[in-house]
Amino acid sequence: MKRLILIFIAGFATALLLAFTSASSIINAASAEVNQIDGLYVFTDCTPVAPYDSLGLVNIGFITGTQYENIRTSLIKQVKKKYPDANGLILRPDKKGVDSAVAIILKKNSQ
């Protein structure tokens, strides 16, 4: 009987420990999975949660069409041409016609 109680307490303690370690991986309401387009992670109206290095800025002036997809495609092409090591970009649409993007390299997860 004492052995059964000890096994129960050990199991409960293990379950409690696992509950606390998994609590750190809970996703908050603002978390999302970013889309990858043409090999680049595209962040629009947001910034990565993961650490990253900024490589530089690319701008496009007036382009044919004002659709988001046209702007995004043009900025992706510019980033890939100017910063071939980039694995992502942060889009910065501008209503005045000068859209830009920050080319970034997302750092590897150290865990």
Side-chain angles (χ1 to χ4, degrees), residues 12-58:
F12 182 75
T14 303
L16 192 61
L17 179 64
L18 290 175
F20 281 115
T21 55
S22 67
S24 64
S25 65
I26 293 175
I27 299 171
N28 71 30
S31 298
E33 188 170 321
V34 68
N35 290 330
Q36 191 174 19
I37 301 169
D38 291 335
L40 297 175
Y41 293 102
V42 179
F43 297 88
T44 306
D45 292 332
C46 63
T47 55
V49 175
Y52 65 92
D53 290 325
S54 295
L55 299 176
L57 187 70
V58 294

Side-chain angles (χ1 to χ4, degrees), residues 88-110:
L89 67 150
I90 302 170
L91 292 179
R92 294 184 174 164
D94 185 356
K95 292 180 182 176
K96 296 176 184 171
V98 183
D99 298 299
S100 63
V102 178
I104 62 172
I105 292 181
L106 294 163
K107 296 181 179 180
K108 300 278 187 212
N109 197 353
S110 61

